[in-house]
Amino acid sequence: EVFIEEKKAGEITYIWENDNTIAVTHTGVNPQYEGQGIGKELVLQIAEYAQINHLKIIPICPYVSVVLNR
């Protein structure tokens, strides 16, 4: 989750498939914060976490798939 001035601005959810794979199921941004790159930053943060921890990502969320393929 990401908060701006104590208001929830966005979230990314995932499920552990096994010890080395996470399935990212949802990325959401509060409408008042859309267009600020919050969703993209959430995806990039989870991608960095996966890379550091040698994890694979299954992009169930279509947005995650688009961002990772860029």
Side-chain angles (χ1 to χ4, degrees):
E1 296 177 325
V2 63
F3 290 84
I4 297 175
E5 296 178 1
E6 299 184 19
K7 292 182 183 178
K8 186 174 175 180
E11 66 183 4
I12 193 164
T13 58
Y14 60 91
I15 300 167
W16 284 94
E17 292 289 314
N18 56 48
D19 289 342
N20 63 357
T21 305
I22 54 176
V24 182
T25 58
H26 173 73
T27 305
V29 176
N30 184 319
Q32 83 182 80
Y33 297 106
E34 288 179 354
Q36 298 180 28
I38 292 170
K40 181 178 179 182
E41 185 60 31
L42 286 165
V43 175
L44 295 176
Q45 288 292 319
I46 204 162
E48 180 180 356
Y49 176 82
Q51 184 177 20
I52 289 168
N53 292 285
H54 309 286
L55 302 172
K56 293 180 182 181
I57 294 176
I58 299 171
I60 307 260
C61 172
Y63 181 73
V64 173
S65 183
V66 167
V67 172
L68 292 178
N69 284 323
R70 289 185 186 160

